[in-house]
Amino acid sequence: MTSAMVEHKHGEGFSLEDLTPEEQQLLSSIREKKRQLLEEIQELKKEIDDVTTELEGIDMVEEYKPDPKTKQISIGKKKFNMDPKKGIEYLIEHSLLQDTADDVARFLFQGEGLNKTAIGDYLGERNEFNVEVLKAFVNLHEFSDMILVQALRQFLWSFRLPGEAQKIDRMMECFAERYCDMNQGVFTSTDTCYVLSFAIIMLNTSLHNPSVKDKPTAERFIQMNRGINDGGDLPEDLLISLYDNIKKEPFKIPEDDGNDLMHTFFNPVKEGWLWKQGGRYKNWKRRWFILNDNCLYYFQYTTDKEPKGIIPLENIQVREVPQDKANKPNCFELYSGGNDIIKACKVDGDGKVVEGRHTVYRMSASNTEEKEEWIRCIKMSINDNPFYDMLAARRKNATGTVSSRK
């Protein structure tokens, strides 16, 4: 290009039409590269932000890393939710609970992270220590100046009633004694309180269970409770107020998931920190993994209630990855046959659940022993397609039939 041409192209009348086709193509290519570079810069900025957040998170986890006692309490609660007796034994053995009915009762009454069905099962046991715990547990409730239905609401929210009649009988008897002690003169005896309490529970079921078509009226409720006050009748205005209270608002039945924790994570096959490689940019991020119920869950922090991703262990395999291929020690990976995408999901940057697009999930453990333990546990948890199991069983039966005919 001559100097005159350059001057012309940079003059006031310059336009793309002044360029040759080759120069226009070169300019277009430069613009495309510029666009790609800007996109990559934005992606790098995002990656830097993610890494910065990750590092801050690691510092935070290290700074607030729970001491051994806190970890043991967490283990004890998980054990309790799976087997109440073993959980209490574990906590007592590790000096986290005193071997007294009062201390165990306070632990159950506070209830943080405990499954309320498990609390009910433990309180309902017949042996002497459990009965003492039940009494201490009921005595921690404050029923003063409460009408009976309010006291019942508080009591029945602190645990979930077991299904066995004898357990329910012991629990309601303790409740009636506690209520009468704190509200002298309301009933002539604890038996009256006991019978009326059951009548209220039955009324709640009859009024709010959709399968019960014949709903009791206030008059029928009064009739049902004739003579229960040591041979006499309770005041009608008391019974009507109880009826109206239950009709307006049913009992809230506690859920079975202590402190809203997913039951899946109460007793994992294995859990721990792993480095997980990203799919597109191949960067490594530290994640907390939990293996249970034939699934691998991963979280950004151990305190997260919801996983960042879920990898069902169906029709996939696991294998070690040599360090020269992974550029990181102690690696292993989950993979599917051929180029099949692993059926998994994750939460994207906007908080939406999206399908994963991985054909391989690659992780790195802290040491060789951890890597081998993860591989062993994952292999035991991998769930093959049931179709193949049925096919194998059918084939086995067919083979056995042929052999018998011979």
Side-chain angles (χ1 to χ4, degrees), residues 172-252:
M172 296 306 297
E173 187 175 5
C174 284
F175 166 79
E177 289 175 358
R178 175 67 170 168
Y179 183 84
C180 289
D181 285 344
M182 305 197 76
N183 296 275
Q184 300 284 338
V186 175
F187 302 112
T188 56
S189 68
T190 57
D191 286 341
T192 302
C193 181
Y194 177 98
V195 172
L196 184 57
S197 296
F198 262 113
I200 292 171
I201 294 172
M202 292 168 62
L203 175 67
N204 178 78
T205 302
S206 299
L207 288 177
H208 300 289
N209 189 329
S211 64
V212 178
K213 304 302 180 184
D214 185 18
K215 304 296 183 184
T217 61
E219 290 73 19
R220 194 196 306 177
F221 182 67
I222 293 170
Q223 187 65 35
M224 285 168 54
N225 291 288
R226 295 284 187 198
I228 67 170
N229 195 25
D230 199 19
D233 293 339
L234 291 167
E236 286 195 4
D237 57 347
L238 169 65
L239 295 175
I240 290 173
S241 69
L242 294 175
Y243 178 93
D244 290 341
N245 191 300
I246 288 294
K247 185 175 182 180
K248 182 179 179 181
E249 183 183 358
F251 284 132
K252 292 181 180 178

Coordinates of all heavy atoms in Angstrom, one line a residue, residues 172-252:
M172 N -48.7 -39.9 77.5 CA -49.8 -39.0 77.8 C -50.1 -39.0 79.3 O -50.6 -38.0 79.9 CB -51.1 -39.5 77.1 CG -50.9 -39.4 75.6 SD -50.5 -37.7 75.0 CE -51.9 -36.8 75.6
E173 N -49.8 -40.1 80.0 CA -49.9 -40.1 81.5 C -49.0 -39.1 82.1 O -49.4 -38.4 83.0 CB -49.7 -41.5 82.0 CG -50.0 -41.7 83.5 CD -49.8 -43.1 84.0 OE1 -49.4 -44.0 83.2 OE2 -50.1 -43.4 85.1
C174 N -47.7 -39.1 81.7 CA -46.8 -38.1 82.2 C -47.2 -36.7 81.9 O -47.1 -35.8 82.7 CB -45.4 -38.3 81.6 SG -44.5 -39.8 82.2
F175 N -47.7 -36.5 80.7 CA -48.2 -35.2 80.3 C -49.3 -34.7 81.2 O -49.4 -33.6 81.7 CB -48.7 -35.2 78.8 CG -49.5 -34.0 78.5 CD1 -48.9 -32.7 78.2 CD2 -50.9 -34.0 78.5 CE1 -49.7 -31.6 77.9 CE2 -51.7 -32.9 78.2 CZ -51.1 -31.7 77.8
A176 N -50.3 -35.6 81.5 CA -51.5 -35.3 82.3 C -51.0 -34.9 83.7 O -51.5 -33.9 84.3 CB -52.5 -36.4 82.3
E177 N -50.1 -35.6 84.3 CA -49.6 -35.3 85.6 C -48.9 -34.0 85.7 O -49.1 -33.2 86.6 CB -48.6 -36.4 86.0 CG -49.2 -37.8 86.3 CD -48.2 -38.9 86.6 OE1 -47.0 -38.6 86.6 OE2 -48.6 -40.0 86.9
R178 N -48.1 -33.7 84.6 CA -47.4 -32.4 84.6 C -48.4 -31.2 84.5 O -48.3 -30.2 85.1 CB -46.4 -32.4 83.4 CG -45.7 -31.0 83.2 CD -44.7 -30.7 84.3 NE -43.9 -29.6 84.0 CZ -43.1 -28.9 84.9 NH1 -43.1 -29.3 86.1 NH2 -42.4 -27.9 84.5
Y179 N -49.4 -31.4 83.6 CA -50.3 -30.3 83.4 C -51.1 -30.0 84.7 O -51.3 -28.9 85.1 CB -51.3 -30.7 82.3 CG -52.3 -29.6 82.0 CD1 -51.9 -28.5 81.1 CD2 -53.6 -29.6 82.5 CE1 -52.8 -27.5 80.9 CE2 -54.4 -28.5 82.3 CZ -54.1 -27.5 81.5 OH -54.9 -26.4 81.2
C180 N -51.6 -31.1 85.3 CA -52.4 -30.9 86.6 C -51.5 -30.3 87.7 O -52.0 -29.5 88.5 CB -53.0 -32.3 87.0 SG -54.3 -32.9 85.9
D181 N -50.2 -30.7 87.8 CA -49.4 -30.1 88.8 C -49.2 -28.6 88.6 O -49.1 -27.8 89.6 CB -48.0 -30.7 88.7 CG -48.0 -32.1 89.3 OD1 -48.9 -32.5 90.0 OD2 -47.0 -32.9 89.1
M182 N -49.2 -28.2 87.3 CA -49.0 -26.8 87.1 C -50.3 -26.0 86.9 O -50.2 -24.7 86.8 CB -48.2 -26.6 85.8 CG -46.9 -27.4 85.8 SD -45.7 -26.8 84.5 CE -45.1 -25.3 85.2
N183 N -51.4 -26.6 86.9 CA -52.7 -26.0 86.8 C -53.7 -26.6 87.8 O -54.6 -27.3 87.5 CB -53.2 -26.1 85.4 CG -52.4 -25.4 84.4 OD1 -52.5 -24.2 84.1 ND2 -51.5 -26.1 83.8
Q184 N -53.4 -26.3 89.1 CA -54.2 -26.9 90.2 C -55.7 -26.5 90.1 O -55.9 -25.3 89.8 CB -53.6 -26.5 91.5 CG -52.2 -26.9 91.7 CD -52.1 -28.4 92.1 OE1 -53.0 -29.0 92.5 NE2 -50.9 -29.0 91.8
G185 N -56.6 -27.4 90.3 CA -58.0 -27.1 90.4 C -58.7 -27.1 89.0 O -60.0 -27.0 89.0
V186 N -58.0 -27.2 87.9 CA -58.7 -27.3 86.6 C -59.5 -28.6 86.5 O -60.6 -28.6 86.0 CB -57.7 -27.1 85.5 CG1 -58.4 -27.2 84.1 CG2 -57.0 -25.7 85.6
F187 N -58.8 -29.7 86.8 CA -59.5 -31.0 86.8 C -59.4 -31.6 88.2 O -58.5 -31.4 88.9 CB -58.8 -31.9 85.8 CG -58.8 -31.3 84.4 CD1 -57.5 -30.9 83.8 CD2 -59.9 -31.2 83.6 CE1 -57.5 -30.4 82.5 CE2 -59.9 -30.6 82.4 CZ -58.7 -30.2 81.8
T188 N -60.4 -32.5 88.4 CA -60.4 -33.2 89.7 C -59.3 -34.3 89.8 O -58.9 -34.6 90.9 CB -61.8 -33.9 90.0 OG1 -62.1 -34.8 88.9 CG2 -62.9 -32.8 90.0
S189 N -58.9 -34.8 88.7 CA -57.8 -35.8 88.7 C -57.0 -35.8 87.4 O -57.5 -35.2 86.4 CB -58.5 -37.2 89.0 OG -59.2 -37.6 87.8
T190 N -55.9 -36.5 87.5 CA -55.1 -36.6 86.3 C -55.8 -37.5 85.2 O -55.6 -37.3 84.0 CB -53.7 -37.2 86.6 OG1 -53.9 -38.5 87.2 CG2 -52.9 -36.3 87.5
D191 N -56.6 -38.4 85.7 CA -57.4 -39.2 84.8 C -58.3 -38.4 83.9 O -58.4 -38.7 82.7 CB -58.2 -40.3 85.5 CG -57.4 -41.4 86.1 OD1 -56.2 -41.5 85.7 OD2 -57.8 -42.0 87.1
T192 N -58.9 -37.4 84.4 CA -59.8 -36.5 83.7 C -58.9 -35.8 82.6 O -59.4 -35.7 81.4 CB -60.4 -35.4 84.6 OG1 -61.2 -36.1 85.6 CG2 -61.3 -34.5 83.7
C193 N -57.8 -35.3 83.0 CA -56.9 -34.6 82.0 C -56.5 -35.6 80.9 O -56.4 -35.2 79.7 CB -55.7 -34.0 82.7 SG -54.6 -33.1 81.7
Y194 N -56.1 -36.8 81.3 CA -55.7 -37.8 80.4 C -56.8 -38.1 79.4 O -56.5 -38.1 78.1 CB -55.3 -39.1 81.2 CG -54.9 -40.3 80.4 CD1 -53.5 -40.6 80.2 CD2 -55.8 -41.1 79.8 CE1 -53.1 -41.7 79.5 CE2 -55.4 -42.2 79.1 CZ -54.1 -42.5 78.9 OH -53.7 -43.6 78.2
V195 N -58.0 -38.4 79.8 CA -59.1 -38.8 78.9 C -59.4 -37.6 78.0 O -59.6 -37.8 76.8 CB -60.3 -39.2 79.7 CG1 -61.5 -39.4 78.8 CG2 -60.0 -40.5 80.5
L196 N -59.5 -36.4 78.5 CA -59.8 -35.2 77.7 C -58.7 -35.0 76.6 O -59.0 -34.6 75.5 CB -60.0 -34.0 78.6 CG -60.5 -32.7 77.8 CD1 -61.8 -33.0 77.1 CD2 -60.7 -31.6 78.8
S197 N -57.5 -35.2 77.0 CA -56.4 -35.0 76.1 C -56.5 -35.9 74.9 O -56.3 -35.5 73.7 CB -55.0 -35.3 76.8 OG -54.8 -34.3 77.8
F198 N -56.8 -37.2 75.2 CA -57.1 -38.1 74.1 C -58.3 -37.7 73.2 O -58.3 -37.9 72.0 CB -57.3 -39.6 74.6 CG -56.0 -40.4 74.6 CD1 -55.4 -40.8 75.7 CD2 -55.4 -40.8 73.3 CE1 -54.2 -41.5 75.7 CE2 -54.3 -41.5 73.3 CZ -53.7 -41.9 74.4
A199 N -59.3 -37.2 73.9 CA -60.5 -36.8 73.2 C -60.2 -35.6 72.2 O -60.7 -35.6 71.1 CB -61.6 -36.4 74.1
I200 N -59.3 -34.7 72.6 CA -58.9 -33.6 71.8 C -58.0 -34.1 70.6 O -58.2 -33.6 69.5 CB -58.0 -32.6 72.6 CG1 -58.9 -31.9 73.7 CG2 -57.4 -31.6 71.7 CD1 -58.2 -31.1 74.7
I201 N -57.2 -35.1 70.8 CA -56.3 -35.6 69.7 C -57.3 -36.3 68.7 O -57.1 -36.2 67.5 CB -55.3 -36.6 70.3 CG1 -54.3 -35.8 71.1 CG2 -54.6 -37.3 69.2 CD1 -53.3 -36.7 71.9
M202 N -58.2 -37.1 69.2 CA -59.2 -37.7 68.3 C -60.0 -36.7 67.6 O -60.3 -36.9 66.4 CB -60.1 -38.7 69.1 CG -59.3 -39.9 69.7 SD -60.3 -40.8 70.9 CE -61.7 -41.4 69.9
L203 N -60.4 -35.7 68.2 CA -61.2 -34.6 67.6 C -60.4 -34.0 66.5 O -60.9 -33.7 65.4 CB -61.6 -33.5 68.6 CG -62.3 -32.3 68.1 CD1 -63.7 -32.7 67.6 CD2 -62.5 -31.2 69.2
N204 N -59.1 -33.7 66.7 CA -58.3 -33.1 65.7 C -58.3 -34.0 64.4 O -58.4 -33.5 63.3 CB -56.9 -32.9 66.3 CG -55.9 -32.4 65.2 OD1 -55.9 -31.2 65.0 ND2 -55.1 -33.3 64.7
T205 N -58.1 -35.3 64.6 CA -58.1 -36.2 63.5 C -59.5 -36.2 62.8 O -59.5 -36.2 61.5 CB -57.8 -37.7 64.0 OG1 -56.5 -37.7 64.7 CG2 -57.8 -38.6 62.8
S206 N -60.5 -36.3 63.5 CA -61.9 -36.3 62.9 C -62.2 -35.1 62.1 O -62.8 -35.1 61.0 CB -62.9 -36.5 64.0 OG -62.7 -37.8 64.7
L207 N -61.8 -33.9 62.6 CA -62.1 -32.6 62.0 C -61.2 -32.4 60.8 O -61.7 -31.7 59.8 CB -62.0 -31.5 63.0 CG -63.1 -31.4 64.0 CD1 -62.8 -30.2 65.0 CD2 -64.4 -31.2 63.4
H208 N -60.0 -32.8 60.8 CA -59.0 -32.4 59.7 C -58.5 -33.5 58.8 O -57.8 -33.2 57.9 CB -57.9 -31.7 60.4 CG -58.3 -30.5 61.2 ND1 -58.7 -29.3 60.5 CD2 -58.4 -30.2 62.5 CE1 -59.0 -28.4 61.5 NE2 -58.8 -28.9 62.7
N209 N -58.9 -34.7 59.1 CA -58.6 -35.8 58.2 C -59.6 -35.9 57.1 O -60.8 -36.1 57.3 CB -58.5 -37.2 59.0 CG -57.9 -38.3 58.1 OD1 -58.0 -38.3 56.9 ND2 -57.3 -39.2 58.8
P210 N -59.2 -35.7 55.8 CA -60.1 -35.7 54.7 C -60.9 -37.0 54.5 O -62.0 -37.0 54.0 CB -59.2 -35.5 53.4 CG -58.0 -34.9 54.0 CD -57.8 -35.5 55.3
S211 N -60.3 -38.1 55.0 CA -61.0 -39.4 54.9 C -62.2 -39.6 55.8 O -63.0 -40.5 55.7 CB -60.0 -40.6 55.1 OG -59.5 -40.6 56.4
V212 N -62.2 -38.7 56.9 CA -63.3 -38.8 57.8 C -64.5 -37.9 57.3 O -64.4 -36.7 57.3 CB -62.9 -38.3 59.2 CG1 -64.1 -38.3 60.2 CG2 -61.8 -39.2 59.8
K213 N -65.5 -38.5 56.8 CA -66.7 -37.8 56.2 C -67.6 -37.2 57.3 O -68.2 -36.1 57.1 CB -67.4 -38.7 55.2 CG -66.5 -39.3 54.2 CD -65.8 -38.3 53.3 CE -65.0 -38.9 52.2 NZ -64.2 -37.9 51.5
D214 N -67.9 -38.0 58.3 CA -68.8 -37.6 59.3 C -68.1 -36.7 60.4 O -67.6 -37.2 61.4 CB -69.5 -38.8 60.0 CG -70.6 -38.4 60.9 OD1 -71.1 -37.3 60.9 OD2 -70.9 -39.3 61.8
K215 N -68.1 -35.4 60.2 CA -67.4 -34.5 61.1 C -68.2 -34.3 62.4 O -69.4 -34.0 62.3 CB -67.1 -33.1 60.5 CG -66.4 -33.2 59.1 CD -65.0 -33.8 59.3 CE -64.2 -33.8 58.0 NZ -62.9 -34.4 58.1
P216 N -67.5 -34.5 63.6 CA -68.3 -34.3 64.8 C -68.6 -32.8 65.1 O -67.9 -31.9 64.7 CB -67.3 -34.8 65.9 CG -65.9 -34.7 65.3 CD -66.1 -34.9 63.8
T217 N -69.8 -32.6 65.7 CA -70.2 -31.2 66.1 C -69.7 -31.0 67.5 O -69.3 -31.9 68.2 CB -71.7 -31.1 66.0 OG1 -72.3 -32.0 66.9 CG2 -72.2 -31.4 64.6
A218 N -69.9 -29.7 67.9 CA -69.5 -29.3 69.3 C -70.4 -30.1 70.3 O -69.9 -30.5 71.3 CB -69.7 -27.8 69.5
E219 N -71.7 -30.2 69.9 CA -72.6 -30.9 70.8 C -72.2 -32.4 71.0 O -72.2 -32.9 72.1 CB -74.0 -30.9 70.2 CG -74.7 -29.5 70.2 CD -74.1 -28.6 69.2 OE1 -73.5 -29.0 68.2 OE2 -74.3 -27.3 69.4
R220 N -71.7 -33.0 69.9 CA -71.3 -34.4 70.0 C -70.0 -34.5 70.9 O -69.8 -35.5 71.6 CB -71.0 -35.1 68.6 CG -70.9 -36.6 68.7 CD -70.3 -37.2 67.5 NE -71.0 -36.9 66.3 CZ -70.6 -37.3 65.1 NH1 -69.5 -38.0 65.0 NH2 -71.2 -36.9 64.0
F221 N -69.1 -33.5 70.7 CA -67.9 -33.5 71.5 C -68.2 -33.4 73.0 O -67.6 -34.1 73.9 CB -67.0 -32.4 71.1 CG -65.7 -32.3 71.8 CD1 -64.7 -33.3 71.6 CD2 -65.4 -31.2 72.6 CE1 -63.5 -33.2 72.3 CE2 -64.2 -31.1 73.3 CZ -63.2 -32.1 73.1
I222 N -69.2 -32.6 73.3 CA -69.6 -32.4 74.7 C -70.2 -33.7 75.2 O -69.9 -34.2 76.3 CB -70.7 -31.3 74.8 CG1 -70.0 -29.9 74.5 CG2 -71.3 -31.3 76.2 CD1 -71.0 -28.8 74.4
Q223 N -71.1 -34.4 74.4 CA -71.7 -35.6 74.8 C -70.7 -36.7 75.0 O -70.8 -37.5 75.9 CB -72.7 -36.1 73.6 CG -73.5 -37.3 74.0 CD -74.5 -37.0 75.1 OE1 -75.0 -35.9 75.3 NE2 -74.7 -38.0 76.0
M224 N -69.6 -36.7 74.2 CA -68.6 -37.8 74.3 C -67.8 -37.6 75.6 O -67.3 -38.6 76.1 CB -67.5 -37.6 73.2 CG -68.0 -38.1 71.8 SD -66.9 -37.5 70.5 CE -65.3 -38.1 71.1
N225 N -67.8 -36.5 76.2 CA -67.0 -36.2 77.4 C -67.9 -36.1 78.7 O -67.4 -35.5 79.7 CB -66.1 -35.0 77.2 CG -65.0 -35.2 76.2 OD1 -64.1 -36.0 76.4 ND2 -65.2 -34.6 75.0
R226 N -69.1 -36.6 78.6 CA -70.0 -36.6 79.8 C -69.4 -37.5 80.9 O -68.9 -38.6 80.6 CB -71.3 -37.1 79.4 CG -72.1 -36.3 78.5 CD -72.7 -35.1 79.1 NE -73.6 -34.3 78.2 CZ -73.9 -33.1 78.4 NH1 -73.5 -32.4 79.5 NH2 -74.8 -32.4 77.6
G227 N -69.4 -37.0 82.1 CA -69.0 -37.8 83.3 C -67.5 -38.1 83.5 O -67.2 -38.9 84.3
I228 N -66.6 -37.5 82.7 CA -65.2 -37.8 82.8 C -64.5 -37.1 83.9 O -63.4 -37.4 84.3 CB -64.5 -37.5 81.5 CG1 -64.4 -36.0 81.2 CG2 -65.1 -38.3 80.3 CD1 -63.5 -35.7 80.0
N229 N -65.2 -36.1 84.5 CA -64.6 -35.3 85.6 C -64.9 -35.9 87.0 O -65.7 -35.4 87.7 CB -65.1 -33.9 85.5 CG -64.2 -32.9 86.4 OD1 -63.0 -33.2 86.6 ND2 -64.8 -31.8 86.8
D230 N -64.4 -37.1 87.2 CA -64.6 -37.9 88.4 C -66.1 -38.1 88.6 O -66.6 -38.0 89.7 CB -64.0 -37.1 89.6 CG -63.8 -38.0 90.8 OD1 -63.7 -39.3 90.6 OD2 -63.7 -37.5 91.9
G231 N -66.8 -38.5 87.5 CA -68.2 -38.8 87.5 C -69.1 -37.6 87.2 O -70.2 -37.8 86.8
G232 N -68.5 -36.4 87.2 CA -69.3 -35.2 86.9 C -68.9 -34.7 85.5 O -68.1 -35.3 84.8
D233 N -69.6 -33.7 85.1 CA -69.4 -33.1 83.7 C -68.5 -31.9 83.8 O -68.5 -31.1 84.8 CB -70.7 -32.7 83.1 CG -71.6 -33.9 82.8 OD1 -71.1 -35.0 82.7 OD2 -72.8 -33.7 82.6
L234 N -67.7 -31.8 82.8 CA -66.8 -30.6 82.7 C -67.7 -29.4 82.2 O -68.7 -29.6 81.5 CB -65.7 -30.8 81.7 CG -64.6 -31.8 82.1 CD1 -63.7 -32.1 80.9 CD2 -63.8 -31.1 83.2
P235 N -67.3 -28.2 82.5 CA -68.1 -27.0 82.0 C -68.2 -27.0 80.5 O -67.3 -27.2 79.8 CB -67.3 -25.8 82.5 CG -66.5 -26.3 83.7 CD -66.2 -27.7 83.3
E236 N -69.5 -26.7 80.0 CA -69.7 -26.8 78.6 C -68.9 -25.7 77.8 O -68.4 -25.9 76.7 CB -71.2 -26.6 78.2 CG -72.0 -27.9 78.5 CD -73.3 -27.9 77.9 OE1 -73.6 -26.9 77.1 OE2 -74.1 -28.8 78.1
D237 N -68.7 -24.5 78.5 CA -68.0 -23.5 77.8 C -66.5 -23.8 77.7 O -65.9 -23.4 76.7 CB -68.1 -22.1 78.6 CG -67.6 -22.2 80.1 OD1 -67.5 -23.4 80.5 OD2 -67.5 -21.2 80.7
L238 N -66.0 -24.6 78.6 CA -64.6 -25.1 78.4 C -64.5 -26.1 77.2 O -63.6 -25.9 76.4 CB -64.2 -25.9 79.7 CG -62.8 -26.7 79.6 CD1 -61.7 -25.7 79.4 CD2 -62.6 -27.5 80.9
L239 N -65.4 -27.0 77.1 CA -65.4 -28.0 76.0 C -65.6 -27.3 74.7 O -65.0 -27.6 73.7 CB -66.5 -29.0 76.3 CG -66.2 -30.0 77.5 CD1 -67.4 -30.9 77.7 CD2 -64.9 -30.7 77.3
I240 N -66.5 -26.3 74.7 CA -66.8 -25.6 73.4 C -65.5 -24.8 73.0 O -65.2 -24.7 71.8 CB -68.0 -24.6 73.6 CG1 -69.3 -25.5 73.7 CG2 -68.1 -23.7 72.4 CD1 -70.5 -24.7 74.0
S241 N -64.8 -24.2 73.9 CA -63.6 -23.4 73.6 C -62.5 -24.3 73.1 O -61.8 -24.0 72.1 CB -63.1 -22.6 74.8 OG -62.6 -23.5 75.8
L242 N -62.4 -25.6 73.6 CA -61.5 -26.5 73.1 C -61.8 -27.0 71.7 O -61.0 -27.1 70.8 CB -61.4 -27.8 74.1 CG -60.9 -27.5 75.5 CD1 -61.0 -28.8 76.3 CD2 -59.4 -27.1 75.5
Y243 N -63.1 -27.2 71.5 CA -63.6 -27.6 70.2 C -63.3 -26.5 69.1 O -62.8 -26.8 68.1 CB -65.1 -27.9 70.2 CG -65.7 -28.3 68.9 CD1 -65.8 -29.6 68.5 CD2 -66.2 -27.3 68.0 CE1 -66.4 -30.0 67.3 CE2 -66.7 -27.7 66.8 CZ -66.8 -29.0 66.4 OH -67.4 -29.4 65.2
D244 N -63.6 -25.3 69.5 CA -63.4 -24.2 68.5 C -61.9 -24.0 68.2 O -61.6 -23.7 67.1 CB -64.0 -22.9 69.1 CG -65.5 -22.9 69.1 OD1 -66.1 -23.7 68.4 OD2 -66.1 -22.1 69.9
N245 N -61.1 -24.2 69.2 CA -59.7 -24.0 69.0 C -59.1 -25.0 68.0 O -58.3 -24.6 67.1 CB -59.0 -24.1 70.4 CG -57.5 -23.7 70.4 OD1 -56.7 -24.3 69.6 ND2 -57.2 -22.7 71.2
I246 N -59.5 -26.3 68.2 CA -59.0 -27.3 67.3 C -59.7 -27.2 65.9 O -59.0 -27.4 64.9 CB -59.4 -28.7 67.9 CG1 -58.5 -29.0 69.1 CG2 -59.2 -29.8 66.8 CD1 -57.0 -29.1 68.7
K247 N -60.9 -26.8 65.8 CA -61.6 -26.6 64.5 C -60.9 -25.5 63.7 O -60.7 -25.6 62.5 CB -63.0 -26.3 64.7 CG -63.8 -26.2 63.4 CD -65.3 -26.0 63.6 CE -66.0 -26.0 62.2 NZ -67.5 -25.8 62.4
K248 N -60.5 -24.4 64.4 CA -59.9 -23.3 63.8 C -58.4 -23.6 63.3 O -58.0 -23.2 62.2 CB -59.9 -22.1 64.7 CG -59.3 -20.8 64.1 CD -59.3 -19.7 65.1 CE -58.7 -18.4 64.5 NZ -58.7 -17.3 65.5
E249 N -57.7 -24.3 64.1 CA -56.3 -24.6 63.8 C -55.9 -26.0 64.2 O -55.9 -26.4 65.4 CB -55.4 -23.6 64.5 CG -53.9 -23.8 64.2 CD -53.0 -22.9 65.0 OE1 -53.5 -22.1 65.7 OE2 -51.8 -23.0 64.8
P250 N -55.6 -26.9 63.2 CA -55.2 -28.3 63.6 C -53.9 -28.3 64.2 O -53.1 -27.4 64.2 CB -55.2 -29.0 62.2 CG -54.9 -27.9 61.2 CD -55.6 -26.7 61.8
F251 N -53.6 -29.5 64.9 CA -52.2 -29.6 65.5 C -51.2 -29.7 64.3 O -51.5 -30.2 63.3 CB -52.2 -31.0 66.2 CG -52.8 -31.0 67.6 CD1 -53.7 -32.0 67.9 CD2 -52.6 -30.0 68.5 CE1 -54.3 -32.0 69.1 CE2 -53.2 -30.0 69.7 CZ -54.1 -31.0 70.1
K252 N -50.1 -29.0 64.6 CA -49.0 -29.1 63.7 C -48.1 -30.4 64.0 O -47.6 -30.5 65.2 CB -48.1 -27.9 63.8 CG -48.8 -26.6 63.2 CD -47.9 -25.4 63.3 CE -48.5 -24.2 62.8 NZ -47.7 -23.0 62.9

